[in-house]
């Protein structure tokens, strides 16, 4: 059995105020909550910072310092890949192995666009990673939503070609769930037995939800995935 925590859309900026809230303070509240929790990893699913400055990534690293578990990150549309790699190079990953599970990341970011898109090369690489995985069970994580959110969220800002992704995913029965952020809300969907899970933002939600939150996952050795969205 393994445990990991997913946070998303921290939007840390050089100044504390961003998106109308104090994102530094809000993330600090989240870290205070998760630091004592049992966890084998902390996964951050994009938009670590708001403007992608080098200073903001360094500040984020300071804020994350109390976390004792290994940290793994993937970029969102607000991130600057060069500055992200400069500060968090050791945390970037393609495949993260956790016991009998693999977590495989997918780059859905388009340069200078809010919406996501998976290129043919990215889809081919994902297909090969899935085929080569020796794990019994797999999770896939990307930044952008892959299904309509059925909320106030503008679905045109989600992944533009979800069917191309599903064409790949449908070939691999080991996949138990797909995780994402970007929409700043907590939600769960299901497609042909596949769980599709949205992670809330540590900064602010785009729904009527006034709290900030994160997802805590338990990966059981029998392939059963459990998770709980925890709010502050």
């Amino acid at each position: 059995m393994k445990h990991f925590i997913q946070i998303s859309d921290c939007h840390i900026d050089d100044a504390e105020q961003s998106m109308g809230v104090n994102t530094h303070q809000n993330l600090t509240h989240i870290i205070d909550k998760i630091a004592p929790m049992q966890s084998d990893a902390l996964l951050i699913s994009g938009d670590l910072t708001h403007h992608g400055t080098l200073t903001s990534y360094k500040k984020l690293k300071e804020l994350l310092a109390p976390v004792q578990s290994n940290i793994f990150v993937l970029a969102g549309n607000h991130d600057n890949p060069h500055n992200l790699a400069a500060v968090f190079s050791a945390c970037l990953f393609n495949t993260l192995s956790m016991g009998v599970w693999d977590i495989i990341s997918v780059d859905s970011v388009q340069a200078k666009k809010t919406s996501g898109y998976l290129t043919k090369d990215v889809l081919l690489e994902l297909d090969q990673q899935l085929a080569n995985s020796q794990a019994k069970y797999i999770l896939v994580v990307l930044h952008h939503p892959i299904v309509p959110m059925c909320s106030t969220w503008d679905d045109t800002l989600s992944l533009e070609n979800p069917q191309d992704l599903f064409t790949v995913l449908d070939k691999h029965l080991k996949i138990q769930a797909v995780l994402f952020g970007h929409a700043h809300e907590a939600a769960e969907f299901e497609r042909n037995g596949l769980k599709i899970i949205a992670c809330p933002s540590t900064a602010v939600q785009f729904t009527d939800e006034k709290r900030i939150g994160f997802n805590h996952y338990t990966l059981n050795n029998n392939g059963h995935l459990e998770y709980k969205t925890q709010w502050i």
Side-chain angles (χ1 to χ4, degrees):
M1 180 185 296
K2 297 289 185 178
H3 303 270
F4 75 95
I5 291 169
Q6 179 191 8
I7 64 174
S8 200
D9 300 273
C10 306
H11 289 276
I12 299 302
D13 210 351
D14 293 3
E16 292 186 1
Q17 290 288 131
S18 177
M19 307 186 78
V21 297
N22 188 324
T23 61
H24 293 203
Q25 184 179 74
N26 284 358
L27 181 58
T28 297
H29 291 326
I30 293 286
I31 296 303
D32 287 345
K33 179 75 171 181
I34 69 177
M37 296 177 66
Q38 180 185 2
S39 174
D40 297 291
L42 173 65
L43 173 64
I44 310 178
S45 52
D47 285 357
L48 285 74
T49 69
H50 195 56
H51 288 110
T53 66
L54 193 60
T55 301
S56 62
Y57 288 110
K58 290 179 179 178
K59 180 60 182 181
L60 175 61
K61 196 167 190 177
E62 290 178 15
L63 294 171
L64 293 172
V67 177
Q68 296 299 308
S69 55
N70 292 326
I71 297 173
F72 299 91
V73 307
L74 62 151
N77 54 289
H78 278 264
D79 289 306
N80 178 292
H82 176 76
N83 290 338
L84 174 61
V87 179
F88 285 95
S89 59
C91 303
L92 294 166
F93 75 103
N94 292 315
T95 300
L96 165 60
S97 294
M98 300 186 66
V100 297
W101 293 73
D102 274 352
I103 303 176
I104 296 177
S105 70
V106 187
D107 182 7
S108 60
V109 176
Q110 302 185 86
K112 299 181 179 180
K113 290 193 71 173
T114 302
S115 57
Y117 187 83
L118 299 179
T119 65
K120 289 183 179 179
D121 287 344
V122 167
L123 289 165
L124 179 60
E125 181 182 2
L126 172 62
D127 193 22
Q128 291 174 339
Q129 285 179 291
L130 292 167
N132 293 335
S133 172
Q134 299 300 306
K136 288 185 177 180
Y137 312 104
I138 297 174
L139 300 178
V140 172
V141 59
L142 71 167
H143 181 62
H144 291 86
I146 62 172
V147 291
M149 293 299 295
C150 303
S151 70
T152 55
W153 171 253
D154 181 356
D155 290 319
T156 65
L157 303 180
S158 297
L159 188 69
E160 293 180 10
N161 59 331
Q163 191 52 54
D164 292 339
L165 174 61
F166 286 126
T167 297
V168 174
L169 299 183
D170 288 346
K171 296 164 56 179
H172 302 277
L173 300 180
K174 292 180 178 181
I175 303 170
Q176 304 300 304
V178 178
L179 319 179
F180 59 84
H182 190 54
H184 289 234
E185 63 179 276
E188 180 181 339
F189 307 89
E190 187 271 342
R191 179 186 179 274
N192 298 335
L194 180 71
K195 287 186 177 181
I196 300 172
I197 301 169
C199 183
S201 168
T202 67
V204 62
Q205 313 315 318
F206 290 157
T207 62
D208 292 334
E209 176 60 64
K210 302 303 182 185
R211 296 170 294 178
I212 51 177
F214 60 93
N215 286 346
H216 181 259
Y217 298 85
T218 300
L219 305 178
N220 292 287
N221 292 338
N222 63 358
H224 182 59
L225 169 69
E226 301 173 56
Y227 83 98
K228 181 179 180 182
T229 300
Q230 299 205 18
W231 297 103
I232 298 176

